[in-house]
Amino acid sequence: MYQDLHFYILLDPKQYAENGKAYLNELSVLVKYARAHHARLFYFQEQIDKIKQDDPDFDKGHIMSMANMLDVLLRDAVPAKKQPHLFNIHYHEDGSYLQPVEPSGINAHPHISVLHKKQHPYTEHVLRLTQTAPPALIHLNFHSSHINMMNWIVGLFPRNFNLSDKHGENGKGNWPHESVLLCSASDAQSLLNTAVPSTKFKDKLYNFDTAHQKFIELYYEGDNPQHQWHGFHVAEKDIRRVPDDIRKYFSK
C-alpha cells in the first residue's frame, strides 16, 4: 500500500488573525485526512508563539477557546526542529543568490507535504542546508485542499480498481451469497481514490458512497505492478465489519 507520509502543518498568523476559528476549521479538514492516512505530523513552534503573542483572547473560553482548538488540531503532532535551514535559489544574470525560506526545519524525506490554507496548491524546490550533512534539494508539495492532497497520495501510491466477477457491478452479476458492488467500475475507482485506511487493517481501504448511502470496502490485491484493488458495498446486516474508527471518521 503506502507508508511513512510526512505532513508539516503550516499555520499562518496573518490568516489566523483575519479569520480565527474559520481558518482553524478549514485547516483541520486537511489535518483530518493526513491523520486518516497515518501520516507523521509536524508543526512550527515559532508560528504558535506568534499566534499566542498577537491574540489577547487566545486562552479565553475554556473548551471553546482558540487555545483548545489549536490543541485538538495539533494533537499527536510534534514540533519541527530549528535545523535544517531552507533556501530558495534565485538565478539572475548579474549573480544568483539564496533567499531563506520560513519556517525552517523541514527535513529531507521521500514523501513530504505541507498543509496550508492559501488559494492554490503549489510546489517548490528548495535547498536544504545543515551543519552535519551535504546540501540537498527538497521537493515540497503545498496542499490547500483535501482533494489536492488525496491526488498527491494516489500519485505516490497508485490505486487501480479491478472489477471482480465475485462481486459483480451495478448491483448485479455477483456470485450467490457474495457481497455486491452497487456502482459502476468507474464510480468505484473514484471512491477508491479518496478512500481511507483503518487502524485495524493494512490491506483494506474504506469510503462512504453517498449515492447508495453505504460503505464500500476495498481490498489490496498485493504488491504488484498493477497496484490493483477490488471491492464491494457493505450490506446493512454486515455493518459491523466496518471498523469503528472508519464509522467515526465518516460520522456514521
Side-chain angles (χ1 to χ4, degrees):
M1 288 174 59
Y2 52 80
Q3 59 183 347
D4 206 17
L5 300 172
H6 285 201
F7 285 93
Y8 288 80
I9 303 170
L10 193 64
L11 281 158
D12 186 341
K14 182 179 179 181
Q15 289 193 68
Y16 171 88
E18 292 174 351
N19 299 297
K21 290 182 179 179
Y23 169 67
L24 293 185
N25 284 332
E26 291 177 358
L27 191 59
S28 69
V29 174
L30 299 180
V31 177
K32 176 182 177 181
Y33 273 82
R35 282 198 177 96
H37 287 81
H38 313 308
R40 295 186 64 188
L41 294 170
F42 302 87
Y43 66 90
F44 302 97
Q45 185 61 50
E46 59 266 40
Q47 294 176 338
I48 307 299
D49 294 341
K50 175 66 174 172
I51 286 173
K52 290 181 178 180
Q53 176 184 329
D54 295 345
D55 184 1
D57 298 326
F58 184 73
D59 289 309
K60 291 183 179 179
H62 302 290
I63 294 177
M64 298 303 295
S65 71
M66 303 300 278
N68 189 64
M69 287 187 68
L70 203 54
D71 284 344
V72 172
L73 178 72
L74 300 178
R75 65 177 173 82
D76 64 33
V78 298
K81 296 180 180 180
K82 292 289 186 180
Q83 291 281 346
H85 294 294
L86 306 178
F87 297 88
N88 277 323
I89 306 171
H90 294 272
Y91 298 97
H92 194 274
E93 60 184 8
D94 295 329
S96 300
Y97 64 95
L98 299 178
Q99 181 182 32
V101 173
E102 295 297 338
S104 62
I106 298 179
N107 277 300
H109 185 270
H111 308 141
I112 296 177
S113 273
V114 180
L115 306 179
H116 72 109
K117 282 306 300 179
K118 296 185 179 179
Q119 285 188 329
H120 305 290
Y122 62 99
T123 59
E124 275 189 1
H125 290 85
V126 297
L127 186 65
R128 171 184 177 270
L129 298 178
T130 71
Q131 297 177 338
T132 58
L137 195 64
I138 301 179
H139 182 74
L140 296 180
N141 307 274
F142 289 78
H143 301 302
S144 59
S145 75
H146 71 276
I147 297 298
N148 174 251
M149 185 173 74
M150 293 299 298
N151 288 339
W152 175 73
I153 291 173
V154 173
L156 287 175
F157 310 100
R159 304 174 180 177
N160 296 311
F161 186 77
N162 181 33
L163 193 62
S164 169
D165 291 340
K166 182 178 180 180
H167 302 296
E169 184 182 15
N170 290 318
K172 56 187 178 181
N174 57 306
W175 294 359
H177 312 297
E178 291 293 344
S179 299
V180 61
L181 179 69
L182 297 175
C183 63
S184 67
S186 60
D187 287 342
Q189 179 66 60
S190 296
L191 290 165
L192 173 61
N193 289 343
T194 57
V196 297
S198 167
T199 55
K200 293 183 65 176
F201 305 108
K202 293 184 177 181
D203 59 349
K204 295 181 186 179
L205 296 175
Y206 296 86
N207 208 336
F208 188 76
D209 183 353
T210 56
H212 295 91
Q213 288 295 299
K214 292 186 183 299
F215 283 99
I216 184 170
E217 185 172 303
L218 300 138
Y219 281 81
Y220 188 50
E221 296 183 353
D223 293 324
N224 55 64
Q226 291 76 34
H227 306 288
Q228 289 185 164
W229 300 73
H230 68 270
F232 55 85
H233 285 79
V234 179
E236 192 62 36
K237 65 181 179 63
D238 298 323
I239 193 63
R240 287 186 175 276
R241 70 181 295 126
V242 179
D244 290 341
D245 61 332
I246 293 295
R247 295 173 69 177
K248 181 179 179 181
Y249 178 80
F250 288 102
S251 302
K252 302 297 179 184

